[in-house]
Amino acid sequence: MSLALVLGGVMRNYDGEPVFGPFSHTFEAGTTSVVMGPNGSGKSTLLRICAMLEPIDAGSIRFYDRDEELNQDLVLRRRVTLVFPKTTVFRGTVFDNIAYGLRIRDADPSSIVERVEEALVSVGLSHKIRQEARTLSSGEAQRLGIARALAIEPELLLLDEPTASVDEKHTAFIEEFIMSLGKQTRTTIVMSTHDRNQAEKLTKQILVMKKGIIASNP
Ligand SMILES: Nc1ncnc2c1ncn2[C@@H]1O[C@H](COP(=O)(O)OP(=O)(O)O)[C@@H](O)[C@H]1O
Ligand SMILES: [Mg+2]
């Protein structure tokens, strides 16, 4: 199943200064939402909060599977993943880079090869499986980052400006991929971008952020 996410009056301060919120919004299960806004508007902060990688100073964040509210424990964390604007590539092959996330989640070893291969097909990188990951181009590395996220079959996939550092060809590929994943309802997707055309291509659920709050809503 996919997850729903309800933020109520969430606020985040840095050095005593309020920089984010109050932010209230429901991301419905199985939908694709895009958060749009200029640099510094709070997109990355929002995604880190949704990924439970950043504490909040006020308000609440709740995760639901159908009507059941979930504990924010390791089990939930394993159902959620955040792709950063620039993928960090580890030493080793493309295969190793994707398998790592499965191994630390105690995936069944016999399923690892299959899941890595499937994830690479999804992002069109199958032919690079044995390549040293650090020799990938930046566009390929970003696709690797997405494959790494996909391999763990997240129910909430958070993508922070996934096309910010890649060229047009890779951008088109990543957009296509997000659209096709969005058509299935297994995964709830929240992506950030500063590109309005891209946002409109991907979904009608567009939140425009300005100075840490929602400036307009669908
Ligand atoms: N770790 C941090 N320490 C202090 N200020 C931060 C930190 N992270 C983000 N901020 C501030 O929070 C605001 C929102 O930043 P961010 O979420 O990165 O915006 P965006 O991703 O839209 O560019 C900015 O003013 C930024 O300077
Ligand atoms: Mg950012």
Side-chain angles (χ1 to χ4, degrees), residues 127-146:
H127 56 299
K128 302 279 181 180
I129 190 164
R130 298 283 158 220
Q131 187 167 325
E132 170 62 38
R134 289 182 300 185
T135 63
L136 295 175
S137 73
S138 63
E140 288 164 351
Q142 194 60 359
R143 282 155 69 170
L144 166 64
I146 293 171

Side-chain angles (χ1 to χ4, degrees), residues 14-15 19-20 37-46 48 54 160-161 192:
Y14 289 121
D15 307 320
V19 293
F20 180 86
N39 288 339
S41 58
K43 303 181 298 296
S44 297
T45 303
L46 171 66
R48 287 195 303 269
E54 179 144 340
D160 192 2
E161 301 204 47
S192 69

Side-chain angles (χ1 to χ4, degrees), residues 62-130:
R62 297 196 169 93
F63 295 82
Y64 292 89
D65 186 343
R66 298 201 187 121
D67 292 336
E68 185 195 352
E69 185 177 348
L70 304 170
N71 290 327
Q72 290 180 32
D73 56 13
L74 190 60
V75 177
L76 176 61
R77 282 167 194 269
R78 286 178 171 181
R79 299 168 71 177
V80 175
T81 192
L82 171 60
V83 176
F84 293 97
K86 269 201 146 174
T87 293
T88 306
V89 172
F90 311 117
R91 186 196 295 268
T93 62
V94 167
F95 176 89
D96 297 333
N97 267 263
I98 298 173
Y100 174 77
L102 295 169
R103 291 196 183 111
I104 60 170
R105 284 174 164 80
D106 300 322
D108 173 7
S110 65
S111 74
I112 290 181
V113 172
E114 194 180 325
R115 284 166 70 178
V116 171
E117 284 172 351
E118 269 176 29
L120 285 172
V121 169
S122 301
V123 300
L125 273 189
S126 302
H127 56 299
K128 302 279 181 180
I129 190 164
R130 298 283 158 220

